[in-house]
Amino acid sequence: FMFAATVALLLCVDRFNVVVPSLLSVTVHECGHLLGMALCGIKPDRISLSGCGVIIDTHQWSSRCKGSIIALMGPVANLLPALILPRGTFKTAMLINGLFNLIPISGTDGGDAIRYATEGIMSKVKWLFLTVNVLFIASILTVGLLLFVKSFNPTLVTASVYFALIFVASEK
């Protein structure tokens, strides 16, 4: 219900016609993860929708490499087609979705790929990963605040709050 309510609300307030291309971009992204799972021989246990997006659960991670591949397949599914798509809102949505998900912050695909790849040694380098998380979020917030003050554009401030929330949620 929460996913449908969120989409309905976004469609009601969408003055710039970006919700539908964004939803299509998210669909392509999640299909990339599912394709990665299929290529690695892993079946999803459950696919569910939340107010924040799609959740694919599985308990079959069999290797660090497969986990990293699956995590990166979502952004790859966005970025490869974006290379050949004509200019427009859908191409922009694909690029933004792919690039933002590659940011190495806990809770993003980039962060998950690093977590899977360093699974055996993460306890030794966790401080480094946490430092990178905080620096990325602080950098996005700083640029966002400058952009907000200069042109009253809250996009990057909102993105930094989003990244901070998923970082905190993923560290629990």
Side-chain angles (χ1 to χ4, degrees):
F1 170 76
M2 195 61 183
F3 182 77
T6 302
V7 170
L9 175 66
L10 290 173
L11 286 170
C12 288
V13 299
D14 184 18
R15 295 181 302 152
F16 302 107
N17 297 318
V18 296
V19 171
V20 172
S22 296
L23 288 173
L24 289 173
S25 170
V26 169
T27 302
V28 169
H29 180 93
E30 297 305 329
C31 286
H33 290 305
L34 291 171
L35 176 62
M37 292 174 77
L39 292 172
C40 291
I42 297 172
K43 294 180 182 174
D45 296 330
R46 184 172 60 113
I47 301 173
S48 58
L49 302 173
S50 74
C52 296
V54 180
I55 301 167
I56 302 172
D57 291 324
T58 187
H59 294 53
Q60 298 178 5
W61 298 121
S62 57
S63 73
R64 296 183 321 193
C65 182
K66 286 182 180 180
S68 293
I69 289 169
I70 293 166
L72 293 174
M73 283 296 289
V76 167
N78 287 124
L79 295 173
L80 286 181
L83 295 174
I84 60 170
L85 286 169
R87 273 192 271 179
T89 307
F90 184 54
K91 178 177 186 144
T92 303
M94 294 283 276
L95 285 170
I96 289 171
N97 196 13
L99 292 173
F100 265 61
N101 272 287
L102 283 176
I103 293 175
I105 297 173
S106 294
T108 66
D109 295 331
D112 288 345
I114 290 171
R115 185 171 47 87
Y116 291 126
T118 60
E119 201 167 71
I121 61 167
M122 181 53 97
S123 60
K124 296 174 186 169
V125 296
K126 186 151 180 96
W127 65 271
L128 179 62
F129 190 58
L130 292 175
T131 303
V132 168
N133 276 255
V134 170
L135 289 175
F136 261 98
I137 293 169
S139 299
I140 294 168
L141 178 59
T142 302
V143 172
L145 288 172
L146 292 172
L147 185 62
F148 184 74
V149 167
K150 185 174 180 179
S151 62
F152 202 67
N153 184 335
T155 306
L156 288 179
V157 172
T158 305
S160 66
V161 169
Y162 170 76
F163 286 132
L165 289 173
I166 62 172
F167 168 68
V168 169
S170 68
E171 291 301 313
K172 288 185 178 183

